Amino acid sequence: MKVAYLGKIQLTDTDLPYLHEAQQIANITYVIEINPRFLQGPALNIGQIYQKSGLFKAADIYPEFHKLSSFIDLSKCYVLNTSGRLWTLKSFWTHMLLLLFLIRNKFDVIHLAWPPNLYEFILYVLRKRMILTVHDPIPHSSLNTSIVRLRRKFAFSLVPRFILLNKAQRQEFQDYYHIDGSRITDGQLSCCTYLHIVKPATVNIPLKKSYVLFAGKISAYKGLDYLLPAIETVHRSCPDCQLVVAGGGKYHFDISKYLSLGYIDIRNRFIPDSELVALIQNCAFMVCPYTDATQSGVVMSAFAFNKPVIATNVGGLPEMVSHKRYGLIVPPKDVDALAESITFLWQHPNTVAHFSEEISQDYSAGEMSWKRTAEQLQAEYRKIANRAHL
């Protein structure tokens, strides 16, 4: 059985750890799309796009992939590369090349990591062989555009099988898109273990104090307008507590007040993995104060280093964090509750250590590990392959 995994550079933090385990037990070829719009992701930062468009062995055209040689099988890693000023139009052609590659190499299963864009619709020729990982059962409020709705409508009507990464939104997903539950497989995210091969760069790490960490791209739904005032409250009772906010993006509220506070370190820029790893390794715990969410790669980055998380009671976050097991769950948009939880963990390092032990036990090799997920998905792949060949 041959599987083609069609990934996205913006999902490499979850794609790569899954492939690391899955390629050890299955014949999986990884194809990742790179174009002028998507050159940076959580695990890859392409410095300069390759000037030719087409399908290439990843390591042949991008040296950035070489660092992954000990983590995934680069002999089965390809880049669908589209370059130039008219790259969107060229993408229709490059995806025709991809379709021919999939047909010529007789892949039994096509695993999609994201609902296809308009220029990828040609791939639906092979829809009977497809399974789609649904990262966002209901799209984030900031991403619910007409184009997003259109491609999701096509994907959810044409793809026969889906993997949902949390159980909390399963019924809402079924009802909203009128999908029979028999088409859905329950999955889960696990740790961003690719971070283990990244050498930490400690030059920018706060040295005088420990700190609480927020990491990730800045968006309105991330809840920083609740976290920053909460840290002001925490600081009154815990003056040694510092917050680091690491991630680029446009703030939807005025942050000038917080830039002048010595106990808040705002790094509004792209954070390379080397810096992210060092920040996570050295923090006390992380905070995800989201106002809406599905899953969170940030939580899984924290868990890769056994760091507990304070998260809000939205989407699949309570399922991932598990209140008082891997961290704490607080109501969304509640500054006081957020401040209280941060203060509690800051003042109780033994509780933080206990949460860390639970994360290590369950996510390294237990029920929440990528190894377990990879084993479970092999059964789904076999079902799809058998049906496609009927």
Side-chain angles (χ1 to χ4, degrees), residues 302-320:
F303 287 0
F305 299 99
N306 302 324
K307 295 294 182 177
V309 175
I310 295 174
T312 45
N313 188 19
V314 294
L317 296 187
E319 192 176 317
M320 297 175 73

Side-chain angles (χ1 to χ4, degrees), residues 40-251:
Q40 292 181 337
L44 282 170
N45 183 16
I46 304 299
Q48 184 175 358
I49 194 165
Y50 187 64
Q51 291 304 305
K52 293 183 180 179
S53 296
L55 184 65
F56 307 94
K57 283 285 187 73
D60 289 347
I61 64 171
Y62 287 119
E64 290 87 350
F65 279 85
H66 295 170
K67 66 180 182 180
L68 301 175
S69 61
S70 64
F71 197 66
I72 63 170
D73 185 352
L74 288 184
S75 69
K76 295 181 179 180
C77 180
Y78 291 80
V79 164
L80 186 66
N81 197 71
T82 313
S83 62
R85 294 177 60 186
L86 300 177
W87 71 267
T88 305
L89 294 178
K90 289 182 182 177
S91 290
F92 289 94
W93 172 70
T94 54
H95 279 84
M96 176 62 77
L97 295 180
L98 175 58
L99 175 63
L100 295 175
F101 172 79
L102 298 173
I103 294 173
R104 183 170 61 251
N105 287 279
K106 299 180 180 179
F107 286 99
D108 302 288
V109 179
I110 314 297
H111 188 158
L112 304 174
W114 198 254
N117 290 299
L118 295 178
Y119 51 76
E120 298 174 279
F121 277 17
I122 186 66
L123 300 179
Y124 282 130
V125 169
L126 301 176
R127 60 186 178 274
K128 291 183 178 179
R129 307 181 193 182
M130 289 181 173
I131 186 169
L132 168 64
T133 296
V134 183
H135 285 263
D136 297 327
I138 305 299
H140 290 300
S141 55
S142 60
L143 300 175
N144 194 9
T145 65
S146 58
I147 293 295
V148 169
R149 290 192 293 271
L150 177 64
R151 70 173 187 241
R152 288 169 68 90
K153 178 181 179 181
F154 273 91
F156 299 149
S157 62
L158 294 176
V159 177
R161 300 288 301 172
F162 306 100
I163 303 166
L164 258 60
L165 300 177
N166 73 74
K167 298 181 179 69
Q169 294 177 303
R170 178 180 175 131
Q171 193 60 51
E172 184 180 8
F173 175 70
Q174 289 180 220
D175 295 343
Y176 191 84
Y177 292 104
H178 308 290
I179 293 175
D180 190 296
S182 63
R183 297 169 61 194
I184 300 172
T185 296
D186 291 324
Q188 62 192 19
L189 286 182
S190 191
C191 298
C192 296
T193 51
Y194 81 94
L195 292 171
H196 294 164
I197 67 172
V198 176
K199 183 179 180 180
T202 57
V203 64
N204 291 323
I205 305 307
L207 298 177
K208 295 182 179 179
K209 307 173 184 177
S210 186
Y211 54 91
V212 176
L213 177 63
F214 171 97
K217 185 178 179 180
I218 306 303
S219 297
Y221 75 89
K222 295 293 183 70
L224 279 167
D225 45 340
Y226 300 95
L227 176 59
L228 292 176
I231 286 296
E232 286 188 282
T233 301
V234 172
H235 184 68
R236 297 188 191 108
S237 57
C238 304
D240 59 335
C241 181
Q242 182 179 5
L243 172 69
V244 176
V245 179
K250 185 177 180 180
Y251 283 82

